Amino acid sequence: MAASSVAASELLQNMNKHISILYPKASYVIRRISTSRQRSDSQPQLRVKSAPQQLVGVVGLEVHAQINSNTKLFSGSSVRFSAPPNSLVSPFDASLPGTLPVLNTRCVEAAVMTALALNCTINRTSLFDRKHYFYADLPAGYQITQQRRPIAVDGFLDYSFLGGKKRNQVIKRTVSIKQIQLEQDSGKSLHDDLRSQTLIDLNRAGVGLMELVMEPDMSCGEEAAAAVGELQRILQTLGTCQGNMSEGQLRVDANVSVHEPGEPLGIRTEVKNINSIRYLAKAIDYEIQRQIAVLQRGGTVQSQTRAFDSKSGETVPMRDKEGLQDYRFMPEPNLPPLIVYEDNASLPTGIDACQVVVVQAIREALPELPAVKRERLVQTYGLLPEHSLTLVNEDGLVEYFEEVLRATKKEPRKVIGWVTKELVGHLKQQDMSVSQSPIAPSALAELLELQETGHISSSAARRVFQEMWRSPGKTALQIIREQDLGLVSDTAQLHNICQEVLDSHPDEVNAIRGGNKKVLNKLMGLVQRETKGRADPVLVRKIIQEKTS
Amino acid sequence: MAHRTCDKKPEIHENIEDSLCRPADLVNQLERLALVDFRTKQGLACLEEAIRFADQLHAVDTSGVEPMDSVLEDRSLNLREDAVTEGDCAEELLQLSIHTVEEYFVAPPGLLCVAKNRL
C-alpha cells in the first residue's frame, strides 16, 4: 500500500534521473507507473450481493427428430445414414432451377402420429414458409419450414425418473409441447482447415424433420434427460423416428436460464452440440452452475449460443453470428396449405384416397405407448411402478423378463428383483445392453427354480449368479456342484451343528429363553458361518427355536 | 457493379440512413454474404435505388385484404407416395460445379468465417 507507492515513486525518480543523464535531449519523462495495487484501487468495486440467492435453473428444449421415411420431405431421393457423398441427391435437393417441392405423405402421417402420441391439437390446415439464411450446406438459400402455422400445437409429454434418497421413488413430471412442425434438414459440411475450404455433401439436404419445441418447464439436467429419454422411446415405439442421438437422428438444443422462483425469467443461453442424453444432462447442469456463479459474482449473463465440449464437460461460447439474424420469413409460394382430415366422413367427395391424410385412421393405428405398457406390466404381474419403469426403460428387458417367467413357476414379484437389480446391476457395471447378457433367460430361470425348490439359499443363489456371469458356459447346477453350494438339508447334520453352536454360547441361549428373540439371529448367523451359508435358514431357525424353548 | 474495394469511407446518402438502421453494418453484412464489394458510390446508389423501388409497395392500401401467397390459390396440395424415384446422379450434379474434391462440392472461401460459427 503506502510502502509500494513509495517504492514506485522512488523508482520513477531514479529512472527519470537516469533518462536525463543518458538522454539529455529527451523531452519525455515517465510520469507514472501503475502498480497492480493502484489499479485495483482506482476501479469501482464489483457489486457483491449480500444474501445468498436461491437461484434455480429453467430449461426448455428444441428437438429436431429426423423422420423415418424412405424418401425425403419434398423429393423422391432416398434417405439413408451412410452413402457415397452426393449420391442421394435429386435436382430439387441441389436447388437447381425448374424444380419444385412435392410433399411426402409418409412425413405428414409421421408428424400427425407423433403429435397424437404427444397429446397435441392437430391443425386441420397448416402452412409452409421459407426461412432464409446463407450457408454452404443450404443450396437454396432458404429452408422450407412451418413458421406461421405448424401442423400441431399445444401438447404435453409425461415423463418420470427414479429419485428420492434410494433412487427407487418414481417421480412424475410433465413438460408442455408448444408445437410440432415439419421442416427440411440441411446438408453436411466438412471443414478442411488445412486447405482452407469446406466440402459439402447434400445427401442429408431435404430429409424430413419434425421440430418439437418444449416449453421451459424443466429445471435441471436430470429432468431434461428423462424427458428426452421418454420422447426417444415414444418415437421409437411409433416408428416415426429411430431416435439415435449419436447418428444425428435426434438432435437436442437446450435453452437455459436461472432465476429466483417467482421472479421473472433470467437471460437465457442456447446450448448446442449435444449428442447423447448423458451429455445433455451434464451440459445443462454445467450451464446452470455457470450462470449462477456469474450472478453471484455480481455479473450478468450474456445472451449467447454456447457449445458443449464433452471432453472438458463445459459449455464454451460460440462466436457471435453476424448480429441478429433476419430470416425474412415468407410463405412458400409453391405449396398450397396442407389439409388433414379428421375422419372419412369429412372427406370431400371424389377425392383420391392416396391424396389424403386422415387423423382418425392414424389414431386407431397407434401402437401401445411406453406409459401404457408400464401400467399394463404393473397390472399383469403385480409389479411396483419403479420396477416397470426400469423394465420399460431398458431396451429388451421386458422381453427378457417375460421369457424368464415362461420358464419358471416362480411368481413375477419374486423374479423382478433378479432382473431389475442383479441383471441390470451387472449390465450397467460393464456398460452392456440386455442383448449382450452372458446369462440367458432360460439359465436364470433354471437358477431361480433351484432356489425356489430349496436346493440353494438366496445368498448362495446370488453367488451362483455371479459365477454364471463370469463363466458364461456353465449352468447353475454345474456351479452348485463344483463349489458345493447346495443347501444342507440333512436334518441330523444340521441338528448337530446347531447343538454345537448352542453349547458354545450359553449366554445367548439364556437370553433367548429370557425372551430376547433377536439374539436368535446372531446364533443363526453362526450356524450359517459353520455351514458356509448352505444351511436352509427356515430349518435352522426352527431347530434353534425348538432347542431353546 | 465494380469489384474493386474502396479505401475511402463510404459516402452514405441521407436517404439510406433514413430507411435503414446502422447502414454501415448492413453494408458490411451484405458484402460478406453476396461476396461482392459494392461499397462504391455506384454500388451504394444502386442499393438506394433498389430500396426506393421496393418502398413503392407502401403506396398501396392493403388493409382488410387477404394476402395471396401462392398463384395456386385454392388448389389442394399434391401428396407424393414414399417411394424412391430419384437421386443417384452425383456425377451429373458435380459437373455443374467448377470446384469439386472427390465427390464433394467445395464451398467458396468467403463463407468460411460463417462456417466456423456453426456446429
Side-chain angles (χ1 to χ4, degrees), chain A residues 71 76 87 103 198 200 318, chain B residues 80 82 86 88 103 105 107 117:
Chain A
T71 59
S87 61
L103 184 54
T198 303
I200 306 294
M318 283 168 73
Chain B
R80 176 178 54 84
D82 188 25
E86 44 190 349
D88 204 20
E103 279 153 341
F105 294 103
N117 292 341

Side-chain angles (χ1 to χ4, degrees), chain A residues 41-79:
Chain A
D41 280 347
S42 62
Q43 273 206 342
Q45 275 271 298
L46 284 173
R47 271 181 322 131
V48 173
K49 305 256 163 151
S50 45
Q53 294 162 294
Q54 300 289 86
L55 292 166
V56 294
V58 176
V59 182
L61 299 177
E62 263 170 47
V63 182
H64 287 90
Q66 226 176 45
I67 299 176
N68 186 16
S69 59
N70 296 327
T71 59
K72 296 184 180 180
L73 186 58
F74 294 116
S75 74
S77 341
S78 181
V79 174

Side-chain angles (χ1 to χ4, degrees), chain A residues 450-470:
Chain A
L450 289 168
Q451 185 207 1
E452 186 72 356
T453 53
H455 277 85
I456 44 170
S457 67
S458 318
S459 50
R462 263 191 286 277
R463 288 194 1 225
V464 174
F465 184 93
Q466 278 175 332
E467 189 54 43
M468 283 167 79
W469 189 276
R470 277 194 288 263

Side-chain angles (χ1 to χ4, degrees), chain A residues 200-250:
Chain A
I200 306 294
D201 174 13
L202 296 177
N203 282 347
R204 202 185 64 179
V207 171
L209 294 176
M210 293 180 286
E211 179 177 328
L212 291 102
V213 182
M214 290 191 198
E215 301 279 22
D217 296 338
M218 294 162 283
S219 62
C220 62
E222 182 171 33
E223 289 182 0
V228 173
E230 184 67 2
L231 176 67
Q232 215 181 23
R233 253 167 258 125
I234 291 174
L235 292 173
Q236 287 165 342
T237 303
L238 295 175
T240 53
C241 171
Q242 289 173 297
N244 195 326
M245 274 183 85
S246 54
E247 278 179 27
Q249 289 163 341
L250 191 68

Side-chain angles (χ1 to χ4, degrees), chain A residues 269-272 287 290 304-308 315-318:
Chain A
T269 60
E270 193 185 4
V271 183
K272 296 174 103 83
E287 182 59 17
R290 187 193 71 85
Q304 60 185 188
T305 304
R306 299 177 72 90
F308 179 65
T315 62
V316 293
M318 283 168 73

Side-chain angles (χ1 to χ4, degrees), chain A residues 272-513:
Chain A
K272 296 174 103 83
N273 196 38
I274 302 163
N275 45 34
S276 82
I277 293 191
R278 232 178 63 219
Y279 287 156
L280 176 68
K282 276 193 177 181
I284 289 171
D285 288 336
Y286 175 85
E287 182 59 17
I288 290 174
Q289 289 313 310
R290 187 193 71 85
Q291 290 190 13
I292 290 178
V294 165
L295 291 178
Q296 284 180 338
R297 283 201 300 267
T300 47
V301 175
Q302 273 181 292
S303 168
Q304 60 185 188
T305 304
R306 299 177 72 90
F308 179 65
D309 177 0
S310 50
K311 286 200 201 100
S312 62
E314 301 179 342
T315 62
V316 293
M318 283 168 73
R319 248 185 318 166
D320 231 346
K321 297 183 195 168
E322 334 86 54
L324 217 56
Q325 276 278 37
D326 178 8
Y327 292 117
R328 292 174 288 139
F329 282 102
M330 66 175 255
E332 169 55 62
N334 294 321
L335 293 171
L338 167 65
I339 301 177
V340 296
Y341 298 92
E342 174 54 39
D343 48 33
N344 287 317
S346 55
L347 292 177
T349 47
I351 198 163
D352 186 357
C354 314
Q355 284 296 317
V356 291
V357 171
V358 180
V359 177
Q360 185 62 12
I362 296 175
R363 193 181 285 122
E364 282 163 11
L366 281 174
E368 183 186 52
L369 294 179
V372 177
K373 194 173 193 181
R374 274 182 220 118
E375 188 52 38
R376 178 173 60 80
L377 290 170
V378 166
Q379 297 303 323
T380 311
Y381 299 117
L383 303 174
L384 292 172
E386 56 259 33
H387 293 149
S388 76
L389 185 64
T390 308
L391 269 186
V392 174
N393 282 11
E394 287 300 322
D395 237 346
L397 199 60
V398 177
E399 289 72 26
Y400 188 102
F401 174 64
E402 292 184 323
E403 220 188 299
V404 173
L405 287 183
R406 273 193 289 272
T408 174
K409 291 186 211 75
K410 226 170 150 155
E411 267 178 48
R413 244 179 306 176
K414 291 196 187 166
V415 174
I416 190 68
W418 283 93
V419 172
T420 56
K421 292 208 186 70
E422 297 295 328
L423 180 71
V424 173
H426 279 80
L427 287 172
K428 289 285 180 224
Q429 259 178 8
Q430 295 175 272
D431 203 18
M432 289 161 67
S433 66
V434 174
S435 55
Q436 297 170 300
S437 162
I439 302 178
S442 50
L444 178 59
E446 192 193 345
L447 173 65
L448 295 180
E449 275 298 294
L450 289 168
Q451 185 207 1
E452 186 72 356
T453 53
H455 277 85
I456 44 170
S457 67
S458 318
S459 50
R462 263 191 286 277
R463 288 194 1 225
V464 174
F465 184 93
Q466 278 175 332
E467 189 54 43
M468 283 167 79
W469 189 276
R470 277 194 288 263
S471 340
K474 297 206 183 135
T475 64
L477 265 175
Q478 278 179 298
I479 297 170
I480 291 171
R481 257 179 241 137
E482 279 172 22
Q483 299 198 7
D484 206 16
L485 291 167
L487 261 184
V488 173
S489 38
D490 178 351
T491 35
Q493 195 184 0
L494 274 179
H495 269 272
N496 290 340
I497 296 174
C498 289
Q499 195 60 56
E500 275 178 36
V501 169
L502 290 173
D503 290 340
S504 51
H505 294 83
D507 295 329
E508 282 80 357
V509 173
N510 287 332
I512 295 172
R513 290 211 177 109

